[in-house]
Amino acid sequence: MKIDIREKIQREEASNIGFSVAMISWGMLFASLFLAYALYRFKETAWPPMGFEKVSLVWPTTSTIIIFLSSCTYYLYQKSYFMKQVKSTKFFYSVTVLFASLFLVSQKMLWATLHDSGLYTSSGIFASILHGFTWVHAGHVGIGILAILFVIPSVKTQNIGNEKFRIRMANVGKFWHFLGIVWFLMYLTMFVL
Amino acid sequence: MTYAHGKHAEPKTFLSKYIFSFDHKVIAKQFLWYGIFFLLIGGLMALMIRWTLAYPGEAFPVIGNWLFPETGGVIPPDTYSMLFTLHGTIMIFYAITPILIGAFGNYCIPLMIGARDMAFPTLNMLSFHLAALSGLILLSSLFFPLGGAAGGWTSYPTLSTLVGSPGIGQTLWCMAIFVLGASSTMGAVNYITTIISFRAPGMGYFDMPLTVWGLWLTAILNAIFIPVLGAGVMLLIFDRVFGTTFFLAGAAATSGTGDPILFQHVFWIFGHPEVYILILPAWGIVSDFLSFFARKPAFGAKATALAMTTISVLSTLVYGHHMFTTQMSPLLTQSFMTLTMTISIPSAILFANWLGTIYKGSIRFTSPMLFSLGVVFVFGLGGLTGLYLGTVSTDLYLHDTYFVVGHFHYTMAASVLLGGFAAIYFWFPKMFGRMMNETMAKVHFWGTMIGLNGVFFGMMVVGHAGMHRRLYNPFVYEFLQKLIPINTFITYSAFVMGFAQLPFLWNFFHSLVKGKVAESNPWEVGTLEWTLPSPPVNYNFEEIPVVQCGPHEFGNPNLPEGKDFQYQTEKLVEA
């Protein structure tokens, strides 16, 4: 069956709307976690609660830098793709995958640091929040990496510049940038402030 | 093979036709079977609960000895808690939601807006399979040591933490709800997108049938609020499995403790919109059916759509009225109370429009119309009794009594169930190409109406008399012993309601095979699905229709003799 122009436009519009709705849903999931965090935090007279110390910023900051760089490289990958620059498309795509994986490694290091500081999951609400929320985010990053791998056909030399990957690439990009923003908010509220 | 705009090749094999189908009509039927299956399980659980309340300590008839051999057929207290937990969970999430939203959302949206399928057919298929997986997880919990979840359908901590619910049942409950939430969110993404992007040319938002409006608003609420519950149950899973302390309070209070009340906030931020998630499709369906069978244009159709929208918006702001007894500040209780009361305004508009629609109509008392009128009646009762629970002073007395149970059964169970039955009787000919038996449908209607009013009104009476919900045997308290006769009456009514479903089941299955072959438009209405043969072909529309008028064009005096409606594809007849 032929796909006419009207349907093609509809399809693109649908993809944008559908993905935006999905992002709102994901946004609500994380907003609920932030709401919980706010309630716990404002209920306490001191934060971290008595008996706990602030977490070292080394690994959270490293994670922030890595995920920021991965967002930049994803953007450059998209840009190179549409400029049909084969080498830089492949390069920026590979670097994005690398940074995305490094982010998970940095999270693993963060959890190890928490354990070293005596902050286990059962050590009260402070530790629960640090572990629980970073797990949820890391889980989504895992999904994000799978999504980035989902656009791997776009870096085949003969596919570079092809319009048919545009929506898929854009949606994966939106999701990845969204995860970056969520992490940045987590970094600010849970580790810095 | 999937094409753009959700077009898909005609399936040839059994698997591609019935199990892994991309066709929204097949997925709708999958949800319908799924919903009916769980409706029967949830219904049986309800009868067991009612039996225990009418005859505490007596064996449940017929299957009691088989199910509970250790106690000689008597339902034990822990099983009783499991029964009311799973009854609520199953009826809300696994019966009503799949039937009204899963089945009729899937079936009606593309057909009524003139689309060939949903925007994302693969996502649609996945949505059903996730729902099936969720159902399996929930049912499997019954077969683990200590059985299924028993912390109530709201699963408040600490009842739902390891302290209150040891064993794996509650964890599986959380997982099942999380998976089902993912399924519902996928459905919501599809419904919202399809309605925005794939309406037929000429169909503005106010040219959509009100059924579609109801389903659309439901999908929006679903997309926004289901993730909130998802976050809550996820943290509960962390508490139960990984030892976090999000909802554990107590000894750790000096070093930063969790908060069980937080779960209530999260639950009701989702939970109150959930009431409207369930009822909005039924409202839309009823708004359409009253017009279809009164043979009159829907009175104030735009106002009805806007009233539903307003109610949807307000529903997101009132959740606190479920938590008046949690030591909320008086300023907050009054704010939530006032906001709750404002819902009465659009609700009154909705009701006035329904009455305006049937006023002086040429009413055809078909089964879908009877069930629709039933919805008007029971939702009126449910809505009015909600005012007492939305008011702080009366809620403090009525909280956690059977009055609450009666109220929410009138709104969430009776109204939605009757709306679901109306939809089944109405669209059955289109779905299966055969008519259901009208006489049996009317027997079903009256049996159900008499039974459900006996049950739910009775519940409000005993609740007002002070009987608390979730007690295994309330009659150990002397002041409640005088309520045994009315509880017995409620139980008899429940059995009447239960037995009234037998004609429905017979009618449904018999009509599938031997029902009269349906014409393309047996009800003589003009919405787009009735322009198609019954059942519609693959892809629905050979040519995408062009919409020229609204969905409720009835009784136009300029229509030719013998015809009192026109199709949405026809130009409005003028003098």
Side-chain angles (χ1 to χ4, degrees):
Chain A
M1 184 171 282
K2 273 197 265 176
I3 303 166
D4 62 28
I5 301 282
R6 181 175 173 268
E7 287 186 359
K8 206 174 164 189
I9 294 167
Q10 270 184 329
R11 175 93 181 136
E12 263 194 56
E13 183 195 74
S15 176
N16 278 330
I17 294 170
F19 204 77
S20 304
V21 175
M23 297 288 280
I24 290 171
S25 295
W26 269 308
M28 285 302 289
L29 179 87
F30 284 104
S32 307
L33 296 182
F34 279 115
L35 169 78
Y37 172 59
L39 285 176
Y40 287 127
R41 182 151 182 179
F42 292 129
K43 213 175 57 156
E44 296 295 332
T45 46
W47 194 264
M50 204 164 35
F52 295 99
E53 285 181 11
K54 269 196 152 183
V55 178
S56 157
L57 282 179
V58 174
W59 284 112
T61 309
T62 310
S63 300
T64 310
I65 294 167
I66 292 173
I67 206 162
F68 173 72
L69 289 175
S70 70
S71 266
C72 296
T73 52
Y74 193 91
Y75 169 76
L76 293 170
Y77 146 68
Q78 277 182 293
K79 201 175 161 188
S80 317
Y81 178 88
F82 288 111
M83 291 170 78
K84 297 187 180 175
Q85 295 166 339
V86 177
K87 271 190 180 172
S88 50
T89 303
K90 290 185 176 190
F91 172 75
F92 286 121
Y93 178 82
S94 311
V95 176
T96 306
V97 175
L98 178 71
F99 278 138
S101 311
L102 279 178
F103 178 82
L104 285 184
V105 174
S106 70
Q107 292 291 288
K108 181 78 185 62
M109 299 308 289
L110 169 66
W111 296 327
T113 314
L114 293 179
H115 288 178
D116 291 345
S117 324
L119 286 169
Y120 293 94
T121 51
S122 54
S123 315
I125 192 62
F126 181 57
S128 295
I129 287 171
L130 292 176
H131 280 103
F133 292 11
T134 49
W135 289 342
V136 176
H137 183 264
H140 281 82
V141 168
I143 296 167
I145 293 174
L146 290 179
I148 293 172
L149 294 175
F150 182 60
V151 291
I152 209 164
S154 68
V155 288
K156 272 188 176 174
T157 307
Q158 66 270 28
N159 287 343
I160 289 174
N162 191 329
E163 271 286 306
K164 77 173 183 181
F165 292 104
R166 193 162 60 87
I167 297 174
R168 203 189 294 183
M169 283 168 68
N171 285 342
V172 172
K174 279 181 209 165
F175 184 60
W176 191 252
H177 302 318
F178 165 78
L179 291 179
I181 293 167
V182 171
W183 173 259
F184 185 66
L185 291 174
M186 284 169 69
Y187 172 70
L188 271 186
T189 55
M190 287 168 50
F191 297 100
V192 176
L193 295 176
Chain B
M1 181 173 179
T2 307
Y3 297 85
H5 184 74
K7 291 176 194 167
H8 37 78
E10 184 137 16
K12 302 280 184 219
T13 63
F14 177 83
L15 280 180
S16 62
K17 207 169 177 180
Y18 299 109
I19 310 292
F20 299 105
S21 174
F22 294 108
D23 187 341
H24 72 102
K25 300 185 290 296
V26 176
I27 295 168
K29 287 176 191 172
Q30 289 174 328
F31 270 115
L32 186 63
W33 296 122
Y34 176 94
I36 290 175
F37 170 71
F38 276 106
L39 192 66
L40 294 175
I41 294 180
L44 180 65
M45 288 175 165
L47 293 181
M48 289 181 178
I49 295 167
R50 282 312 320 170
W51 180 266
T52 309
L53 287 172
Y55 305 104
E58 288 186 31
F60 186 73
V62 188
I63 55 172
N65 279 311
W66 175 64
L67 287 174
F68 317 108
E70 301 87 355
T71 52
V74 178
I75 296 164
D78 56 341
T79 306
Y80 180 78
S81 300
M82 213 178 299
L83 284 174
F84 67 66
T85 300
L86 291 180
H87 163 73
T89 305
I90 285 174
M91 286 306 209
I92 290 170
F93 296 112
Y94 294 86
I96 289 169
T97 303
I99 290 176
L100 268 171
I101 306 174
F104 289 106
N106 256 306
Y107 198 79
C108 296
I109 289 174
L111 287 173
M112 291 183 114
I113 64 169
R116 286 183 172 135
D117 205 324
M118 286 287 176
F120 311 113
T122 312
L123 195 69
N124 206 17
M125 180 182 71
L126 263 178
S127 164
F128 174 73
H129 286 277
L130 275 184
L133 173 68
S134 166
L136 273 177
I137 295 173
L138 188 81
L139 290 180
S140 72
S141 70
L142 290 166
F143 301 99
F144 282 91
L146 301 182
W153 83 275
T154 50
S155 279
Y156 285 170
T158 51
L159 286 174
S160 57
T161 59
L162 283 174
V163 178
S165 295
I168 199 173
Q170 185 69 48
T171 310
L172 289 173
W173 182 94
C174 293
M175 287 169 63
I177 293 296
F178 191 84
V179 173
L180 194 69
S183 153
S184 296
T185 310
M186 287 176 177
V189 167
N190 236 332
Y191 292 6
I192 295 169
T193 311
T194 306
I195 292 170
I196 294 176
S197 301
F198 292 113
R199 292 189 321 282
M203 181 179 269
Y205 285 105
F206 288 111
D207 298 317
M208 295 192 309
L210 291 163
T211 302
V212 179
W213 265 94
L215 288 162
W216 191 39
L217 293 167
T218 281
I220 293 170
L221 289 176
N222 253 336
I224 297 173
F225 291 103
I226 281 199
V228 181
L229 178 68
V233 294
M234 195 159 52
L235 297 184
L236 195 52
I237 292 173
F238 289 170
D239 273 9
R240 296 182 58 86
V241 178
F242 302 114
T244 53
T245 59
F246 290 107
F247 303 122
L248 285 179
T254 50
S255 61
T257 177
D259 184 359
I261 298 294
L262 175 74
F263 187 86
Q264 293 195 28
H265 282 286
V266 172
F267 185 87
W268 288 115
I269 288 174
F270 151 81
H272 195 77
E274 170 69 6
V275 176
Y276 295 93
I277 285 169
L278 297 177
I279 195 69
L280 276 162
W283 281 352
I285 287 166
V286 166
S287 304
D288 275 339
F289 289 4
L290 291 179
S291 163
F292 294 164
F293 293 104
R295 314 306 291 173
K296 274 181 68 191
F299 183 84
K302 276 187 189 175
T304 302
L306 293 174
M308 290 199 290
T309 311
T310 312
I311 293 170
S312 302
V313 173
L314 287 173
S315 77
T316 66
L317 306 171
V318 300
Y319 82 92
H321 67 228
H322 294 273
M323 297 172 61
F324 284 155
T325 55
T326 56
Q327 299 188 342
M328 202 181 256
S329 92
L331 182 65
L332 268 180
T333 56
Q334 284 169 31
S335 308
F336 278 122
M337 180 175 77
T338 310
L339 280 167
T340 304
M341 295 302 144
T342 56
I343 294 187
S344 309
I345 300 167
S347 304
I349 294 171
L350 197 69
F351 261 80
N353 286 353
W354 284 348
L355 297 179
T357 301
I358 54 176
Y359 179 66
K360 287 193 175 176
S362 307
I363 297 176
R364 295 179 182 177
F365 287 102
T366 59
S367 49
M369 182 60 164
L370 283 177
F371 278 97
S372 300
L373 291 170
V375 173
V376 176
F377 177 72
V378 295
F379 193 77
L381 274 174
L384 287 173
T385 50
L387 294 174
Y388 299 98
L389 299 171
T391 307
V392 185
S393 50
T394 37
D395 180 67
L396 291 179
Y397 171 72
L398 294 169
H399 186 85
D400 252 349
T401 65
Y402 257 90
F403 189 88
V404 180
V405 182
H407 156 73
F408 75 66
H409 274 88
Y410 260 120
T411 50
M412 288 169 76
S415 312
V416 180
L417 205 61
L418 294 181
F421 284 133
I424 290 175
Y425 285 113
F426 184 74
W427 279 296
F428 187 93
K430 188 55 64 186
M431 289 176 109
F432 300 105
R434 291 183 183 270
M435 300 297 291
M436 287 180 84
N437 182 300
E438 273 292 286
T439 311
M440 292 299 271
K442 284 170 185 166
V443 171
H444 173 220
F445 170 74
W446 286 112
T448 305
M449 274 300 274
I450 292 167
L452 75 83
N453 279 293
V455 177
F456 304 142
F457 204 88
M459 283 178 172
M460 289 200 290
V461 172
V462 295
H464 190 260
M467 183 169 135
H468 265 237
R469 63 195 291 203
R470 293 175 175 164
L471 296 180
Y472 174 63
N473 182 1
F475 312 113
V476 293
Y477 300 102
E478 201 182 328
F479 78 102
L480 291 177
Q481 282 170 2
K482 64 180 182 298
L483 297 178
I484 292 179
I486 193 163
N487 270 292
T488 312
F489 166 78
I490 296 170
T491 299
Y492 283 139
S493 303
F495 276 94
V496 169
M497 190 180 164
F499 283 117
Q501 306 317 305
L502 296 179
F504 166 72
L505 288 174
W506 182 87
N507 197 359
F508 189 92
F509 290 107
H510 183 263
S511 303
L512 271 180
V513 186
K514 292 196 171 169
K516 194 182 128 198
V517 173
E519 301 157 17
S520 62
N521 189 3
W523 308 114
E524 298 182 307
V525 295
T527 46
L528 294 176
E529 76 274 28
W530 300 106
T531 62
L532 297 169
S534 303
V537 294
N538 200 33
Y539 310 141
N540 305 339
F541 299 92
E542 188 57 39
E543 291 292 324
I544 296 292
V546 176
V547 170
Q548 311 214 44
C549 64
H552 309 114
E553 296 302 342
F554 291 98
N556 183 340
N558 301 314
L559 282 166
E561 184 78 25
K563 194 180 175 199
D564 71 342
F565 75 101
Q566 60 180 101
Y567 287 105
Q568 281 196 273
T569 48
E570 294 171 340
K571 209 171 172 196
L572 200 62
V573 180
E574 286 170 15

